[in-house]
Amino acid sequence: QKEVEQDPGPLSVPEGAIVSLNCTYSNSAFQYFMWYRQYSRKGPELLMYTYSSGNKEDGRFTAQVDKSSKYISLFIRDSQPSDSATYLCAMVYTGGFKTIFGAGTRLFVKA
Amino acid sequence: DGGITQSPKYLFRKEGQNVTLSCEQNLNHDAMYWYRQDPGQGLRLIYYSQIVNDFQKGDIAEGYSVSREKKESFPLTVTSAQKNPTAFYLCASSIRESNTEAFFGQGTRLTVV
């Protein structure tokens, strides 16, 4: 079983839709949770990170962590064609150095 | 502008050859990393370095080698011992105390011909 599971998609939505991207994980030692966005043939860029449980909002993006369920989500409101990319979740143990990445979900937002 | 520069963007290797991928950063970060990305898989850690002249193996270090002689530079050599080297290689850096925010280069696509 992988430490981090992420549905590879692809996920296709119309412009303006609310997008929900999710990851599950198996190790309760993870404390830091990140979301990266990766455009085709480019390096990933950090969207946001959260520590432990709770929500964090940044513009149209909201990250949510539910440690009791070992489940994290990224919501994108008013999705735009420019949001079309692969979204990678990532996690770090407390006091750890190594980052564990999900496989990424490909998102297509149609105009 | 600060950032990470990887070169070349595309690289072709013949069977049995060693090739070196370049990674340079001007972010003044102590920590640097090399990842490999294959379709349908997450980023897998090859090597990482927390300070100059020190580096550690990641999960898939076999067939790869690195050096860290300067803070700004962390080159990766893909040796002939790497059986399946065709992949997208990503270099990243972060401040030493926390890797919750890693900055990535634009990647090198290596193809064996």
Side-chain angles (χ1 to χ4, degrees), chain B:
Chain B
D1 287 337
I4 299 181
T5 301
Q6 287 187 243
S7 62
K9 189 172 182 179
Y10 299 97
L11 185 59
F12 297 89
R13 192 195 92 169
K14 293 182 180 179
E15 295 277 356
Q17 276 186 338
N18 292 354
V19 291
T20 297
L21 284 58
S22 171
C23 178
E24 303 278 333
Q25 55 99 358
N26 60 3
L27 298 166
N28 200 33
H29 286 167
D30 286 303
M32 297 188 73
Y33 318 76
W34 273 105
Y35 292 93
R36 170 178 171 143
Q37 187 174 34
D38 295 283
Q41 298 194 41
L43 276 65
R44 291 185 290 166
L45 184 63
I46 304 172
Y47 268 96
Y48 66 97
S49 169
Q50 293 181 268
I51 56 172
V52 175
N53 293 321
D54 186 56
F55 49 82
Q56 285 78 41
K57 293 181 179 179
D59 298 319
I60 55 166
E62 185 175 352
Y64 300 97
S65 66
V66 293
S67 62
R68 187 82 187 278
E69 297 176 0
K70 298 188 299 182
K71 187 175 184 179
E72 301 79 21
S73 179
F74 191 40
L76 174 74
T77 297
V78 184
T79 74
S80 57
Q82 169 50 235
K83 300 304 179 189
N84 184 23
T86 294
F88 190 51
Y89 290 87
L90 288 159
C91 179
S93 71
S94 70
I95 61 173
R96 185 176 174 187
E97 293 77 16
S98 170
N99 59 347
T100 54
E101 184 173 10
F103 290 82
F104 284 85
Q106 293 302 289
T108 294
R109 174 70 185 177
L110 173 63
T111 303
V112 174
V113 296

Side-chain angles (χ1 to χ4, degrees), chain A residues 7-22:
Chain A
D7 186 338
L11 178 62
S12 183
V13 301
E15 184 176 358
I18 296 175
V19 176
S20 173
L21 303 166
N22 312 292

Side-chain angles (χ1 to χ4, degrees), chain A residues 1-16:
Chain A
Q1 181 188 7
K2 292 182 179 179
E3 286 189 278
V4 178
E5 298 278 0
Q6 185 174 13
D7 186 338
L11 178 62
S12 183
V13 301
E15 184 176 358

Side-chain angles (χ1 to χ4, degrees), chain A residues 37-99:
Chain A
R37 178 175 62 196
Q38 185 177 23
Y39 291 113
S40 182
R41 293 184 292 277
K42 301 290 186 183
E45 57 178 331
L46 181 70
L47 281 174
M48 51 201 312
Y49 78 88
T50 55
Y51 172 70
S52 196
S53 285
N55 292 0
K56 186 173 183 178
E57 188 173 320
D58 184 0
R60 296 185 296 112
F61 298 90
T62 299
Q64 197 171 78
V65 175
D66 182 351
K67 292 197 72 182
S68 62
S69 301
K70 297 189 179 67
Y71 189 88
I72 69 170
S73 301
L74 178 71
F75 298 97
I76 307 174
R77 290 184 299 279
D78 188 24
S79 56
Q80 302 295 310
S82 58
D83 295 327
S84 298
T86 296
Y87 290 80
L88 302 162
C89 63
M91 305 175 191
V92 182
Y93 301 112
T94 301
F97 190 80
K98 187 173 140 182
T99 303

